[in-house]
Amino acid sequence: DTGVSQNPRHKITKRGQNVTFRCDPISEHNRLYWYRQTLGQGPEFLTYFQNEAQLEKSRLLSDRFSAERPKGSFSTLEIQRTEQGDSAMYLCASSSQGDGVPQHFGDGTRLSIL
Amino acid sequence: DAKTTQPNSMESNEEEPVHLPCNHSTISGTDYIHWYRQLPSQGPEYVIHGLTSNVNNRMASLAIAEDRKSSTLILHRATLRDAAVYYCILPRYSGGGADGLTFGKGTHLIIQP
């Protein structure tokens, strides 16, 4: 059973640098979600795609953040000009269509800003 | 997502049943009740979901009150590997699929050996 895969698992970078994370969803899932989780808090929704269309973006997603899912398969999340406050776990999830269907999460990319 | 209320933490002994409560008094007739859990250093893991009837799977059981204003996740025989934060969520669905989930603080389940 191939689950949701995220790369890299850890990223350390200096403030002001750009970073990009990749998410490979479960292959038959057409919905893909990005969340952010800081220490001691539950995950917070950032954005989601249905196939290649980005359907919703949270107010948490500042203009330094951009997400793409060019062919409706894998997705990338880019953060430009990183800030200390961007340090967090970035989680990806995917789901199929239908009422009641659950989301399946990857183990995340942990971003540390020096 | 509709609002849910859970205890901040619960403690149980290994190999005993655990009942994790969740209140969702503003639930609507079409809201599903989902449970996820998150182990340390891992992403959330789907546990179980239901609409009106009680549900069982290999991980847990979900007991839903008749008025649907509360539910209980039941772990029949807790192990140390069940120590995690458990989230009760009522996802919102639109366009044929789930929207982004709203996680609260969840219940931190501690299992004593």
Side-chain angles (χ1 to χ4, degrees), chain A residues 13-30:
Chain A
T13 192
K14 293 181 179 179
R15 185 165 51 93
Q17 297 295 303
N18 299 342
V19 293
T20 300
F21 311 137
R22 177 178 169 125
C23 171
D24 287 90
I26 293 171
S27 58
E28 61 267 27
H29 287 178
N30 64 346

Side-chain angles (χ1 to χ4, degrees), chain A residues 28-48:
Chain A
E28 61 267 27
H29 287 178
N30 64 346
R31 286 214 171 183
L32 185 148
Y33 309 80
W34 285 100
Y35 294 82
R36 180 175 70 185
Q37 185 172 26
T38 54
L39 205 58
Q41 304 297 315
E44 297 172 295
F45 167 70
L46 293 177
T47 188
Y48 83 85

Side-chain angles (χ1 to χ4, degrees), chain B residues 8-28:
Chain B
N8 288 334
S9 66
M10 290 184 64
E11 200 167 314
S12 182
N13 294 320
E14 198 176 9
E15 299 186 5
E16 291 186 357
V18 180
H19 291 232
L20 296 165
C22 180
N23 287 320
H24 29 76
S25 57
T26 60
I27 192 171
S28 75

Side-chain angles (χ1 to χ4, degrees), chain A:
Chain A
D1 179 20
T2 305
V4 177
S5 176
Q6 292 190 247
N7 287 289
R9 288 299 311 277
H10 303 275
K11 179 71 177 178
I12 301 172
T13 192
K14 293 181 179 179
R15 185 165 51 93
Q17 297 295 303
N18 299 342
V19 293
T20 300
F21 311 137
R22 177 178 169 125
C23 171
D24 287 90
I26 293 171
S27 58
E28 61 267 27
H29 287 178
N30 64 346
R31 286 214 171 183
L32 185 148
Y33 309 80
W34 285 100
Y35 294 82
R36 180 175 70 185
Q37 185 172 26
T38 54
L39 205 58
Q41 304 297 315
E44 297 172 295
F45 167 70
L46 293 177
T47 188
Y48 83 85
F49 293 83
Q50 179 163 305
N51 300 312
E52 65 275 9
Q54 190 171 15
L55 296 189
E56 187 175 348
K57 290 194 283 189
S58 158
R59 277 173 283 183
L60 293 174
L61 209 67
S62 78
D63 55 6
R64 295 185 298 105
F65 287 68
S66 63
E68 294 184 342
R69 194 184 183 197
K71 297 182 180 179
S73 57
F74 74 91
S75 175
T76 58
L77 178 68
E78 181 183 16
I79 309 174
Q80 295 183 328
R81 306 180 302 282
T82 52
E83 301 173 356
Q84 291 283 353
D86 296 332
S87 294
M89 177 76 83
Y90 290 84
L91 294 159
C92 177
S94 68
S95 77
S96 54
Q97 290 279 103
D99 281 344
V101 294
Q103 295 181 20
H104 298 270
F105 286 78
D107 284 334
T109 294
R110 179 166 294 285
L111 174 65
S112 298
I113 307 297
L114 300 178

Side-chain angles (χ1 to χ4, degrees), chain B residues 6 9 15 31 33 38 42 47 54 60 64-65 85 110:
Chain B
Q6 300 177 251
S9 66
E15 299 186 5
D31 283 337
I33 301 160
Q38 189 171 23
Q42 295 186 21
V47 177
N54 294 345
I64 302 172
V85 179
I110 299 164

